[in-house]
Amino acid sequence: MDDVRLPAIWEQVLKKLEQDLSKLAFDTWIKPTIPLAITETTLEIGTPKQIMKEWLESRYLPVIVNAVQTVTQSSLTIQITNLDLEVEPANLPEEPESTQNFPAEKNSQATAAYPRNSYRNTTAQYTNSALPSASSPVPMTKTAEPDAKQPQLLTTEESLPLNPKYIFETFVIGNSNRFAHAASLAVAEAPAQVYNPFFIYGGVGLGKTHLMHAIGHRILKNHSGLKVVYISSEKFTNELINSIRDGNPESFRQKYRNIDVLLVDDIQFLSKKEHTQEEFFHTFNTLHEANKQIIISSDRPPRDIQTLEDRLRSRFEWGLITDIQAPDLETRIAILRKKAMLENLNVHNDVMVYIASRIDNNIRELEGALIRVMAYASLTKQPIDIDLAAEALKDIFPNGRPKQITMELIQDIVASFFKIKMDELLAKKRTRNVAFPRQIAMYLCRELTDTSLPRIGEMFGGRDHTTVIHAHAKISRERNEDTKLNHTIKELIKRIESM
Ligand SMILES: Nc1ncnc2c1ncn2[C@@H]1O[C@H](COP(=O)(O)OP(=O)(O)OP(=O)(O)O)[C@@H](O)[C@H]1O
């Protein structure tokens, strides 16, 4: 079982629980829960409040276990996690207009994720109660804290709040981000002990900020009293400039050299800013020497950040550097599903596949497309189907109604691209000149169509579904490592989509 099936399973579980419980009990305790993940053995659900988790565990666990068993036909362990979602920062921005008129029923409570830029301009603050602390001790020594009741996330004019939605529990794991996610979790669980500095890089909108915030949330939750600052490198620069303008650079230094965890987003903007680099270099050294955790994100690896001083570059390379790649189709669909589930949106699988198969390298755009479709459906009071999605997204996908990408089309285009005959592509022959195009064609069938693995195997000369899994994994991996192959695949996709 995997996350892709989770929304459908959870919907069935809710139906069953609605029958089994009184309306009051269902509305109060079950409805606000959020399904988070499913594996072969466990189904994880989130509650917005600790009290709800306790209440579910003490009163409703047997009935939930029973409902899950009825729906999935297997005895899964139910794990309940408190997400603390009800506590919001003080001054959250208004929700974007387009999200305010979602259809009635389920969607009436829908909210969109905060577009990051508007979110970043706020100066909201968490209080201790927003992130209740567990008691796990850390070897990292706490910076002297004059008043232990002070907020743990330090915010000033320039530093930034953490988005309450960017937590590990809402982050979908796929091949493209598995390692970055695991390393982030390790850093969050043991700050300054495993990877320091920790450097995450990847293309626009692929989840770097989400992971950084998730680390920040987890550290604040588990390690009470640590001072955490999250800031973008642009804001860091502004704050430095302001402190110099105000004749008080020392206060700036004191602030940044007296914290326990420093998260700096989009460090690439530091390039060409020599004075800021100098200041950041000293901040980095002071914190690192004092065994404080430094976490940095960028749109490229340190070696590719132009005009970054060598001494800073080499420091970034001291710890762990990890990247996030563009997600594959399955992960993109899983992200849309999780998003829809978290926002209480009811979207049919076809529409998810339609959106996910067309936006492949920016998750922010992927989420934006989903929100646009929902808003369009609400405003025009129409049911959500592929035609409506195509209409709502016609500026983004100008070809109008999506053409049906068939496996035959993919096979045709791949065969002619590699100048091999169709029957060679489908035959059992394993020489590289046909086996490789065949694997690419299988990969594209998996990526661009909603066809099951056995059916794809069948369409390639009656092969087993494990052959398709192997081909898909191999090409995904090689595509990440080999820019020439990546280019070939992009070219093939372009040809297939323009047919
Ligand atoms: N794996 C994921 N699971 C769920 N949501 C994700 C995932 N990756 C990214 N997102 C969502 O995509 C949106 C963009 O992510 P984020 O802002 O973290 O990207 P970024 O890499 O920091 O982008 P930029 O390069 O613009 O700074 C966010 O709403 C985030 O929650």
Side-chain angles (χ1 to χ4, degrees):
M1 255 176 277
D2 54 33
D3 277 358
V4 175
R5 289 192 48 210
L6 181 55
I9 291 174
W10 190 243
E11 204 171 315
Q12 293 299 313
V13 171
L14 287 183
K15 274 193 193 136
K16 171 92 177 84
L17 288 170
E18 204 167 5
Q19 288 163 6
D20 294 348
L21 296 169
S22 71
K23 183 167 175 3
L24 186 64
F26 179 81
D27 287 349
T28 314
W29 304 110
I30 305 292
K31 224 172 164 183
T33 56
I34 298 163
L36 298 174
I38 190 163
T39 65
E40 293 303 323
T41 54
T42 310
L43 191 151
E44 186 184 4
I45 54 181
T47 57
K49 298 182 196 171
Q50 176 66 16
I51 176 122
M52 296 183 87
K53 167 176 152 70
E54 285 163 12
W55 201 264
L56 286 182
E57 283 172 346
S58 63
R59 308 258 169 131
Y60 294 110
L61 208 46
V63 73
I64 298 174
V65 168
N66 179 50
V68 171
Q69 177 152 27
T70 309
V71 171
T72 62
Q73 298 294 307
S74 49
S75 318
L76 300 182
T77 305
I78 306 299
Q79 188 185 324
I80 302 177
T81 304
N82 169 31
L83 301 176
D84 271 333
L85 290 182
E86 92 287 14
V87 188
E88 298 277 342
N91 304 318
L92 283 179
E94 293 291 313
E95 281 168 19
E97 230 170 49
S98 63
T99 66
Q100 291 180 353
N101 291 319
F102 279 176
E105 299 160 19
K106 282 197 157 191
N107 299 336
S108 59
Q109 300 163 20
T111 56
Y114 305 109
R116 210 187 56 188
N117 289 341
S118 65
Y119 187 82
R120 279 183 160 179
N121 291 334
T122 65
T123 53
Q125 220 173 37
Y126 285 86
T127 61
N128 275 342
S129 62
L131 292 156
S133 49
S135 52
S136 36
V138 265
M140 193 165 145
T141 46
K142 291 174 197 168
T143 301
E145 176 66 74
D147 175 0
K149 291 200 174 69
Q150 282 295 305
Q152 308 295 293
L153 180 75
L154 296 187
T155 54
T156 65
E157 222 177 298
E158 297 293 354
S159 63
L160 297 154
L162 300 180
N163 186 330
K165 295 184 179 185
Y166 290 178
I167 50 178
F168 283 117
E169 289 78 1
T170 56
F171 191 83
V172 175
I173 305 162
N175 289 336
S176 54
N177 58 30
R178 195 178 306 282
F179 184 63
H181 170 268
S184 301
L185 204 53
V187 169
E189 294 296 342
Q193 286 183 71
V194 276
Y195 311 120
N196 198 15
F198 177 49
F199 193 104
I200 314 175
Y201 75 90
V204 176
L206 293 185
K208 304 180 291 294
T209 302
H210 190 135
L211 278 181
M212 290 189 101
H213 285 214
I215 296 171
H217 282 299
R218 186 62 66 91
I219 292 177
L220 287 165
K221 190 169 174 187
N222 287 348
H223 307 285
S224 77
L226 291 190
K227 286 186 186 173
V228 176
V229 168
Y230 166 73
I231 193 160
S232 69
S233 69
E234 280 170 305
K235 298 268 184 188
F236 183 87
T237 308
N238 289 347
E239 197 169 343
L240 174 64
I241 292 168
N242 291 344
S243 73
I244 295 167
R245 184 200 56 203
D246 300 342
N248 199 5
E250 203 40 44
S251 71
F252 174 87
R253 278 179 202 138
Q254 283 310 313
K255 178 184 151 197
Y256 282 100
R257 295 181 197 179
N258 275 299
I259 55 182
D260 300 296
V261 179
L262 176 62
L263 299 124
V264 185
D265 213 348
D266 293 327
I267 200 86
Q268 71 274 8
F269 293 120
L270 226 59
S271 76
K272 297 198 183 136
K273 295 184 181 128
E274 282 162 30
H275 190 70
T276 316
Q277 286 193 28
E278 168 85 21
E279 195 59 48
F280 187 72
F281 175 76
H282 293 299
T283 304
F284 184 104
N285 284 347
T286 309
L287 291 177
H288 200 269
E289 275 160 23
N291 197 30
K292 308 297 185 187
Q293 178 71 52
I294 301 158
I295 300 154
I296 297 163
S297 86
S298 168
D299 66 350
R300 64 202 84 166
R303 65 169 183 279
D304 293 344
I305 306 178
Q306 302 291 321
T307 68
L308 186 69
E309 277 186 47
D310 278 346
R311 56 184 184 161
L312 209 43
R313 194 190 320 275
S314 75
R315 267 157 184 76
F316 291 166
E317 287 166 355
W318 278 354
L320 180 74
I321 301 180
T322 173
D323 67 327
I324 306 186
Q325 298 283 336
D328 57 24
L329 181 68
E330 222 160 27
T331 311
R332 299 199 297 277
I333 295 172
I335 290 172
L336 286 179
R337 284 193 174 288
K338 183 152 248 168
K339 177 86 187 158
M341 191 52 71
L342 289 170
E343 304 293 350
N344 228 354
L345 307 174
N346 199 359
V347 189
H348 197 269
N349 192 44
D350 287 357
V351 176
M352 305 261 194
V353 174
Y354 173 69
I355 298 173
S357 58
R358 278 155 181 82
I359 300 182
D360 62 359
N361 55 10
N362 185 330
I363 298 169
R364 194 176 299 115
E365 281 178 7
L366 192 68
E367 292 181 343
L370 177 65
I371 286 166
R372 197 172 160 135
V373 169
M374 300 307 297
Y376 191 86
S378 162
L379 292 171
T380 60
K381 299 196 171 32
Q382 291 180 64
I384 302 164
D385 55 19
I386 294 198
D387 283 330
L388 176 122
E391 183 59 28
L393 301 174
K394 65 172 186 280
D395 299 338
I396 305 174
F397 317 138
N399 291 344
R401 198 193 188 289
K403 74 202 135 304
Q404 201 59 38
I405 295 179
T406 61
M407 288 200 284
E408 288 85 355
L409 175 71
I410 293 172
Q411 290 171 334
D412 220 39
I413 288 181
V414 171
S416 75
F417 185 90
F418 287 101
K419 301 188 176 43
I420 55 175
K421 295 199 190 91
M422 182 63 100
D423 52 2
E424 285 178 309
L425 190 76
L426 308 185
K428 299 272 176 207
K429 215 168 141 192
R430 291 202 186 161
T431 49
R432 185 171 161 86
N433 70 324
V434 288
F436 193 55
R438 187 184 295 136
Q439 287 172 332
I440 291 180
M442 286 182 183
Y443 168 85
L444 290 171
C445 287
R446 186 90 181 108
E447 286 286 313
L448 301 179
T449 73
D450 197 16
T451 318
S452 69
L453 293 166
R455 176 85 189 113
I456 297 175
E458 228 172 79
M459 289 289 288
F460 282 83
R463 288 180 159 79
D464 191 70
H465 76 282
T466 52
T467 311
V468 184
I469 295 177
H470 169 75
H472 185 266
K474 177 170 178 282
I475 300 298
S476 300
R477 192 179 56 246
E478 291 180 8
R479 193 183 170 182
N480 280 337
E481 291 159 1
D482 178 349
T483 43
K484 204 165 146 224
L485 174 63
N486 190 29
H487 185 77
T488 302
I489 290 182
K490 281 190 171 165
E491 173 61 24
L492 283 166
I493 294 175
K494 208 162 89 193
R495 290 186 191 190
I496 292 163
E497 292 191 336
S498 64
M499 290 300 281

